[in-house]
Amino acid sequence: MRIILASKSPRRKELLSLMGLTYEIIPSEKEENMCQNLSLSKLSESLAKQKADDIFSQTSGNRVVIGSDTMVVVKHKLFGKPKSKEEAKNMLKTLSGNWHKVATSLCVIIEKDGIKKEYLTHSYSKVKFLKLSEKMIDEYLQNDEYKDKAGAYAVQGKSGMFIEKIKGSYSTIIGLPTHLLFQILYKEEILKI
């Protein structure tokens, strides 16, 4: 069965490899529609589905297409990927000393022998940052780790030093809830233990 990841995220690629999957990467270039009046989980699910639908429509035959989307929320503010160093700095100032929620959604579309199935789900985790000084934030922003990361940080990267506590799934924070993906692929007999 052909497995396709609709993302160029190196973190998602690494998590799929750790699951023992053989897969290919076809990143969705579809523009994300963030202007939807939806709850955090529904917006994240909608974006994951947009990515999976985009790649599913470009491919054919027996296949599994995996789309995912991660969002960070603190104090009712939604943080996607920062568009600039200044935006990343503001995000990190807001995260500093606070708990925040990470929502990662998963859309898995499977076509097997002409039968299509779709799974759409999400996972939440909570993360508490240490209190960061402006100097700490400025020093961190000297490297490019903040780019292309929801909330301007990577739990598995250098910014992992800022994390005091985690409640929930580590892989959800990284950007692919492997516990949910495993359940789907195991149920569909695509992944064996």
Side-chain angles (χ1 to χ4, degrees):
M1 173 77 70
R2 183 179 179 199
I3 299 174
I4 304 164
L5 176 62
S7 171
K8 60 185 174 200
S9 163
R11 283 116 11 231
R12 290 185 180 120
K13 291 189 286 188
E14 184 178 345
L15 288 169
L16 281 182
S17 295
L18 288 171
M19 291 177 73
L21 295 170
T22 301
Y23 60 93
E24 60 188 281
I25 297 163
I26 306 175
S28 173
E29 302 298 332
K30 189 171 177 74
E31 184 72 29
E32 293 182 347
N33 180 4
M34 299 284 287
C35 300
Q36 303 174 61
N37 189 20
L38 301 170
S39 68
L40 172 66
S41 60
K42 293 300 179 192
L43 177 58
S44 181
E45 284 181 356
S46 173
L47 295 175
K49 183 171 170 27
Q50 287 174 42
K51 294 171 189 177
D53 282 341
D54 181 37
I55 300 308
F56 188 83
S57 70
Q58 296 176 39
T59 57
S60 62
N62 289 343
R63 67 203 180 284
V64 176
V65 177
I66 301 166
S68 190
D69 186 78
T70 302
M71 295 185 165
V72 171
V73 174
V74 62
K75 297 181 178 179
H76 305 288
K77 291 182 185 175
L78 176 64
F79 292 162
K81 298 169 187 170
K83 293 176 180 58
S84 67
K85 189 180 276 192
E86 192 59 36
E87 185 178 14
K89 184 173 185 172
N90 290 332
M91 286 180 179
L92 292 168
K93 282 181 175 180
T94 304
L95 295 173
S96 174
N98 291 309
W99 281 98
H100 63 274
K101 189 183 286 188
V102 178
T104 298
S105 292
L106 180 66
C107 181
V108 180
I109 306 174
I110 302 167
E111 183 170 341
K112 188 174 181 182
D113 300 327
I115 298 170
K116 179 182 172 185
K117 292 184 182 179
E118 181 175 300
Y119 295 88
L120 187 60
T121 187
H122 66 273
S123 175
Y124 285 118
S125 292
K126 292 178 110 180
V127 178
K128 181 161 193 291
F129 260 41
L130 297 170
K131 184 75 176 156
L132 304 175
S133 68
E134 189 147 341
K135 181 180 179 206
M136 289 174 185
I137 293 171
D138 288 340
E139 288 175 1
Y140 168 70
L141 292 174
Q142 293 309 307
N143 73 63
D144 288 342
E145 183 179 274
Y146 72 89
K147 293 180 178 177
D148 198 39
K149 312 275 189 317
Y153 79 93
V155 66
Q156 76 286 6
K158 189 171 190 169
S159 51
M161 297 182 294
F162 303 156
I163 295 171
E164 184 179 345
K165 295 178 185 172
I166 292 174
K167 292 181 181 176
S169 163
Y170 184 75
S171 67
T172 292
I173 300 165
I174 293 174
L176 185 69
T178 54
H179 62 291
L180 297 176
L181 181 58
F182 165 74
Q183 291 174 71
I184 294 165
L185 298 181
Y186 188 79
K187 176 184 175 186
E188 292 295 329
E189 299 182 349
I190 295 163
L191 176 63
K192 306 254 188 261
I193 296 178

